[in-house]
Amino acid sequence: MTKAAIIMGSKSDMEIMNNTSEVLNKMGIAHEVLIMSAHRTPEKVQDFCASAREKGFELVIAGAGAAAHLPGVIASWTTLPVIGVPIPSSELNGVDSLYAIVQMPAGIPVATVAIGVAGAKNAGYLAAQILGLKYPEIAQAYDNYRNELKGN
């Protein structure tokens, strides 16, 4: 059963978002990687969100650059947890993406991580923390990872 979706607005975001996929694999979290744009294919985003829960998704990780509306649009169409990853794809090096993702109106939250690779990785680790509340094997994988960081 799929537990997470990684969504990005374009193929050019793949270089950053592959880091999220690597972390989810390390944590034993099943996931799908999808490309859809809040601006170019809004109907596709809406259709995904309308059926995501029924298809077994439990959270969404969305990477977006520049205007960075994708995580917020997804959050507006689903009540699943959404984690936004700001992609440094413009002249502003991701600061514009960060502001667009983090400044959501009250009631439509998007958990937002750091800009770029560190954020993409942390999105995967945050997903492990969230899913670990329900799945002991994911909680254990994340605990093991944290212990590795300590050198234990």
Side-chain angles (χ1 to χ4, degrees), residues 31-57:
H31 61 282
E32 288 184 31
V33 178
L34 306 161
I35 297 173
M36 59 185 83
S37 168
H39 300 109
R40 292 180 298 280
T41 59
E43 296 86 2
K44 187 175 179 181
V45 175
Q46 183 180 12
D47 290 346
F48 167 82
C49 292
S51 63
R53 192 180 300 272
E54 294 164 10
K55 291 181 179 176
F57 291 102

mmCIF file of all heavy atoms in Angstrom, residues 31-57:
data_model
loop_
_atom_site.group_PDB
_atom_site.id
_atom_site.type_symbol
_atom_site.label_atom_id
_atom_site.label_comp_id
_atom_site.label_asym_id
_atom_site.label_seq_id
_atom_site.Cartn_x
_atom_site.Cartn_y
_atom_site.Cartn_z
ATOM 1 N N HIS A 31 6.106 4.778 -1.670
ATOM 2 C CA HIS A 31 5.701 6.081 -2.210
ATOM 3 C C HIS A 31 5.658 6.052 -3.728
ATOM 4 O O HIS A 31 6.204 5.159 -4.358
ATOM 5 C CB HIS A 31 6.639 7.183 -1.724
ATOM 6 C CG HIS A 31 8.070 6.982 -2.161
ATOM 7 N ND1 HIS A 31 8.912 6.098 -1.542
ATOM 8 C CD2 HIS A 31 8.779 7.549 -3.158
ATOM 9 C CE1 HIS A 31 10.094 6.130 -2.126
ATOM 10 N NE2 HIS A 31 10.038 7.004 -3.125
ATOM 11 N N GLU A 32 4.976 7.052 -4.258
ATOM 12 C CA GLU A 32 4.938 7.288 -5.697
ATOM 13 C C GLU A 32 5.468 8.686 -5.961
ATOM 14 O O GLU A 32 5.268 9.593 -5.154
ATOM 15 C CB GLU A 32 3.514 7.183 -6.235
ATOM 16 C CG GLU A 32 2.974 5.785 -6.277
ATOM 17 C CD GLU A 32 1.588 5.708 -6.903
ATOM 18 O OE1 GLU A 32 1.290 6.537 -7.802
ATOM 19 O OE2 GLU A 32 0.826 4.832 -6.488
ATOM 20 N N VAL A 33 6.136 8.840 -7.094
ATOM 21 C CA VAL A 33 6.649 10.134 -7.523
ATOM 22 C C VAL A 33 5.819 10.587 -8.716
ATOM 23 O O VAL A 33 5.676 9.851 -9.692
ATOM 24 C CB VAL A 33 8.143 10.038 -7.896
ATOM 25 C CG1 VAL A 33 8.654 11.381 -8.394
ATOM 26 C CG2 VAL A 33 8.968 9.551 -6.709
ATOM 27 N N LEU A 34 5.264 11.793 -8.607
ATOM 28 C CA LEU A 34 4.368 12.318 -9.635
ATOM 29 C C LEU A 34 4.784 13.725 -10.031
ATOM 30 O O LEU A 34 5.291 14.488 -9.196
ATOM 31 C CB LEU A 34 2.936 12.357 -9.098
ATOM 32 C CG LEU A 34 2.402 11.031 -8.537
ATOM 33 C CD1 LEU A 34 1.203 11.281 -7.647
ATOM 34 C CD2 LEU A 34 2.053 10.105 -9.678
ATOM 35 N N ILE A 35 4.557 14.055 -11.281
ATOM 36 C CA ILE A 35 4.822 15.412 -11.763
ATOM 37 C C ILE A 35 3.499 16.010 -12.216
ATOM 38 O O ILE A 35 2.810 15.442 -13.063
ATOM 39 C CB ILE A 35 5.848 15.416 -12.910
ATOM 40 C CG1 ILE A 35 7.185 14.877 -12.404
ATOM 41 C CG2 ILE A 35 5.994 16.828 -13.489
ATOM 42 C CD1 ILE A 35 8.230 14.676 -13.485
ATOM 43 N N MET A 36 3.134 17.114 -11.581
ATOM 44 C CA MET A 36 1.940 17.857 -11.975
ATOM 45 C C MET A 36 2.095 19.291 -11.485
ATOM 46 O O MET A 36 2.715 19.534 -10.462
ATOM 47 C CB MET A 36 0.670 17.200 -11.442
ATOM 48 C CG MET A 36 0.584 17.042 -9.946
ATOM 49 S SD MET A 36 -0.867 16.120 -9.396
ATOM 50 C CE MET A 36 -0.307 14.438 -9.605
ATOM 51 N N SER A 37 1.556 20.203 -12.218
ATOM 52 C CA SER A 37 1.758 21.622 -11.938
ATOM 53 C C SER A 37 0.466 22.306 -11.502
ATOM 54 O O SER A 37 -0.584 22.098 -12.113
ATOM 55 C CB SER A 37 2.289 22.311 -13.202
ATOM 56 O OG SER A 37 2.244 23.713 -13.081
ATOM 57 N N ALA A 38 0.585 23.115 -10.471
ATOM 58 C CA ALA A 38 -0.567 23.905 -10.027
ATOM 59 C C ALA A 38 -0.977 24.923 -11.099
ATOM 60 O O ALA A 38 -2.127 25.348 -11.137
ATOM 61 C CB ALA A 38 -0.230 24.630 -8.728
ATOM 62 N N HIS A 39 -0.045 25.270 -11.980
ATOM 63 C CA HIS A 39 -0.325 26.280 -12.996
ATOM 64 C C HIS A 39 -0.618 25.683 -14.368
ATOM 65 O O HIS A 39 -1.526 26.133 -15.054
ATOM 66 C CB HIS A 39 0.855 27.248 -13.127
ATOM 67 C CG HIS A 39 1.150 27.953 -11.852
ATOM 68 N ND1 HIS A 39 2.270 27.683 -11.092
ATOM 69 C CD2 HIS A 39 0.469 28.891 -11.163
ATOM 70 C CE1 HIS A 39 2.262 28.443 -10.007
ATOM 71 N NE2 HIS A 39 1.180 29.180 -10.023
ATOM 72 N N ARG A 40 0.149 24.668 -14.758
ATOM 73 C CA ARG A 40 -0.012 24.106 -16.101
ATOM 74 C C ARG A 40 -1.043 22.978 -16.160
ATOM 75 O O ARG A 40 -1.677 22.778 -17.188
ATOM 76 C CB ARG A 40 1.344 23.608 -16.619
ATOM 77 C CG ARG A 40 2.331 24.742 -16.884
ATOM 78 C CD ARG A 40 3.664 24.232 -17.386
ATOM 79 N NE ARG A 40 4.358 23.370 -16.450
ATOM 80 C CZ ARG A 40 5.074 23.781 -15.406
ATOM 81 N NH1 ARG A 40 5.180 25.080 -15.164
ATOM 82 N NH2 ARG A 40 5.686 22.930 -14.613
ATOM 83 N N THR A 41 -1.200 22.236 -15.060
ATOM 84 C CA THR A 41 -2.154 21.111 -15.047
ATOM 85 C C THR A 41 -2.979 21.117 -13.755
ATOM 86 O O THR A 41 -3.002 20.142 -13.009
ATOM 87 C CB THR A 41 -1.420 19.762 -15.196
ATOM 88 O OG1 THR A 41 -0.479 19.618 -14.126
ATOM 89 C CG2 THR A 41 -0.708 19.647 -16.526
ATOM 90 N N PRO A 42 -3.687 22.210 -13.469
ATOM 91 C CA PRO A 42 -4.423 22.298 -12.208
ATOM 92 C C PRO A 42 -5.509 21.220 -12.065
ATOM 93 O O PRO A 42 -5.776 20.770 -10.950
ATOM 94 C CB PRO A 42 -5.023 23.705 -12.219
ATOM 95 C CG PRO A 42 -5.043 24.109 -13.653
ATOM 96 C CD PRO A 42 -3.856 23.416 -14.287
ATOM 97 N N GLU A 43 -6.094 20.815 -13.168
ATOM 98 C CA GLU A 43 -7.126 19.769 -13.099
ATOM 99 C C GLU A 43 -6.528 18.450 -12.633
ATOM 100 O O GLU A 43 -7.147 17.699 -11.886
ATOM 101 C CB GLU A 43 -7.814 19.578 -14.465
ATOM 102 C CG GLU A 43 -8.579 20.782 -14.937
ATOM 103 C CD GLU A 43 -7.703 21.794 -15.698
ATOM 104 O OE1 GLU A 43 -6.475 21.552 -15.902
ATOM 105 O OE2 GLU A 43 -8.243 22.845 -16.081
ATOM 106 N N LYS A 44 -5.318 18.157 -13.091
ATOM 107 C CA LYS A 44 -4.620 16.937 -12.683
ATOM 108 C C LYS A 44 -4.354 16.955 -11.181
ATOM 109 O O LYS A 44 -4.514 15.945 -10.492
ATOM 110 C CB LYS A 44 -3.315 16.800 -13.474
ATOM 111 C CG LYS A 44 -2.584 15.498 -13.267
ATOM 112 C CD LYS A 44 -1.361 15.425 -14.189
ATOM 113 C CE LYS A 44 -0.597 14.139 -13.976
ATOM 114 N NZ LYS A 44 0.598 14.070 -14.848
ATOM 115 N N VAL A 45 -3.961 18.104 -10.656
ATOM 116 C CA VAL A 45 -3.728 18.245 -9.217
ATOM 117 C C VAL A 45 -5.029 18.018 -8.456
ATOM 118 O O VAL A 45 -5.070 17.269 -7.471
ATOM 119 C CB VAL A 45 -3.130 19.635 -8.875
ATOM 120 C CG1 VAL A 45 -3.001 19.813 -7.366
ATOM 121 C CG2 VAL A 45 -1.773 19.815 -9.548
ATOM 122 N N GLN A 46 -6.089 18.632 -8.913
ATOM 123 C CA GLN A 46 -7.385 18.482 -8.250
ATOM 124 C C GLN A 46 -7.849 17.027 -8.281
ATOM 125 O O GLN A 46 -8.319 16.497 -7.270
ATOM 126 C CB GLN A 46 -8.431 19.379 -8.901
ATOM 127 C CG GLN A 46 -9.770 19.326 -8.204
ATOM 128 C CD GLN A 46 -10.796 20.227 -8.857
ATOM 129 O OE1 GLN A 46 -10.592 20.739 -9.950
ATOM 130 N NE2 GLN A 46 -11.911 20.416 -8.191
ATOM 131 N N ASP A 47 -7.713 16.366 -9.419
ATOM 132 C CA ASP A 47 -8.114 14.959 -9.536
ATOM 133 C C ASP A 47 -7.302 14.074 -8.597
ATOM 134 O O ASP A 47 -7.850 13.182 -7.948
ATOM 135 C CB ASP A 47 -7.961 14.470 -10.976
ATOM 136 C CG ASP A 47 -8.978 15.079 -11.922
ATOM 137 O OD1 ASP A 47 -9.972 15.675 -11.448
ATOM 138 O OD2 ASP A 47 -8.765 14.981 -13.150
ATOM 139 N N PHE A 48 -5.995 14.321 -8.523
ATOM 140 C CA PHE A 48 -5.155 13.548 -7.610
ATOM 141 C C PHE A 48 -5.649 13.723 -6.173
ATOM 142 O O PHE A 48 -5.835 12.750 -5.441
ATOM 143 C CB PHE A 48 -3.687 13.971 -7.698
ATOM 144 C CG PHE A 48 -2.875 13.413 -6.564
ATOM 145 C CD1 PHE A 48 -2.392 12.124 -6.616
ATOM 146 C CD2 PHE A 48 -2.642 14.172 -5.411
ATOM 147 C CE1 PHE A 48 -1.685 11.588 -5.542
ATOM 148 C CE2 PHE A 48 -1.945 13.648 -4.348
ATOM 149 C CZ PHE A 48 -1.460 12.355 -4.411
ATOM 150 N N CYS A 49 -5.854 14.956 -5.777
ATOM 151 C CA CYS A 49 -6.254 15.239 -4.391
ATOM 152 C C CYS A 49 -7.609 14.626 -4.053
ATOM 153 O O CYS A 49 -7.811 14.132 -2.939
ATOM 154 C CB CYS A 49 -6.278 16.743 -4.147
ATOM 155 S SG CYS A 49 -4.638 17.493 -4.179
ATOM 156 N N ALA A 50 -8.522 14.641 -5.004
ATOM 157 C CA ALA A 50 -9.866 14.114 -4.760
ATOM 158 C C ALA A 50 -9.851 12.615 -4.485
ATOM 159 O O ALA A 50 -10.709 12.106 -3.764
ATOM 160 C CB ALA A 50 -10.770 14.414 -5.953
ATOM 161 N N SER A 51 -8.866 11.904 -5.019
ATOM 162 C CA SER A 51 -8.823 10.443 -4.860
ATOM 163 C C SER A 51 -7.633 9.938 -4.055
ATOM 164 O O SER A 51 -7.475 8.731 -3.889
ATOM 165 C CB SER A 51 -8.815 9.784 -6.242
ATOM 166 O OG SER A 51 -7.640 10.143 -6.950
ATOM 167 N N ALA A 52 -6.807 10.828 -3.555
ATOM 168 C CA ALA A 52 -5.560 10.418 -2.889
ATOM 169 C C ALA A 52 -5.806 9.491 -1.704
ATOM 170 O O ALA A 52 -5.154 8.445 -1.579
ATOM 171 C CB ALA A 52 -4.770 11.651 -2.444
ATOM 172 N N ARG A 53 -6.697 9.848 -0.830
ATOM 173 C CA ARG A 53 -6.969 9.030 0.357
ATOM 174 C C ARG A 53 -7.485 7.645 -0.043
ATOM 175 O O ARG A 53 -7.044 6.630 0.479
ATOM 176 C CB ARG A 53 -7.951 9.742 1.287
ATOM 177 C CG ARG A 53 -8.068 9.118 2.654
ATOM 178 C CD ARG A 53 -9.063 9.880 3.523
ATOM 179 N NE ARG A 53 -8.711 11.272 3.737
ATOM 180 C CZ ARG A 53 -7.924 11.727 4.721
ATOM 181 N NH1 ARG A 53 -7.416 10.888 5.577
ATOM 182 N NH2 ARG A 53 -7.693 13.016 4.850
ATOM 183 N N GLU A 54 -8.401 7.616 -0.995
ATOM 184 C CA GLU A 54 -8.962 6.339 -1.468
ATOM 185 C C GLU A 54 -7.898 5.458 -2.101
ATOM 186 O O GLU A 54 -7.997 4.235 -2.068
ATOM 187 C CB GLU A 54 -10.071 6.598 -2.490
ATOM 188 C CG GLU A 54 -11.281 7.282 -1.910
ATOM 189 C CD GLU A 54 -12.184 7.860 -2.997
ATOM 190 O OE1 GLU A 54 -11.978 7.572 -4.191
ATOM 191 O OE2 GLU A 54 -13.100 8.619 -2.626
ATOM 192 N N LYS A 55 -6.875 6.071 -2.678
ATOM 193 C CA LYS A 55 -5.788 5.316 -3.318
ATOM 194 C C LYS A 55 -4.722 4.893 -2.313
ATOM 195 O O LYS A 55 -3.718 4.307 -2.694
ATOM 196 C CB LYS A 55 -5.160 6.142 -4.440
ATOM 197 C CG LYS A 55 -6.099 6.311 -5.622
ATOM 198 C CD LYS A 55 -5.430 7.101 -6.719
ATOM 199 C CE LYS A 55 -6.353 7.246 -7.916
ATOM 200 N NZ LYS A 55 -5.760 8.089 -8.962
ATOM 201 N N GLY A 56 -4.913 5.202 -1.036
ATOM 202 C CA GLY A 56 -3.991 4.754 -0.007
ATOM 203 C C GLY A 56 -2.899 5.722 0.391
ATOM 204 O O GLY A 56 -2.028 5.381 1.193
ATOM 205 N N PHE A 57 -2.934 6.927 -0.143
ATOM 206 C CA PHE A 57 -1.942 7.916 0.272
ATOM 207 C C PHE A 57 -2.288 8.429 1.661
ATOM 208 O O PHE A 57 -3.460 8.640 1.985
ATOM 209 C CB PHE A 57 -1.894 9.087 -0.716
ATOM 210 C CG PHE A 57 -1.336 8.701 -2.059
ATOM 211 C CD1 PHE A 57 -2.168 8.494 -3.141
ATOM 212 C CD2 PHE A 57 0.029 8.551 -2.236
ATOM 213 C CE1 PHE A 57 -1.669 8.137 -4.379
ATOM 214 C CE2 PHE A 57 0.544 8.192 -3.469
ATOM 215 C CZ PHE A 57 -0.300 7.981 -4.543
#
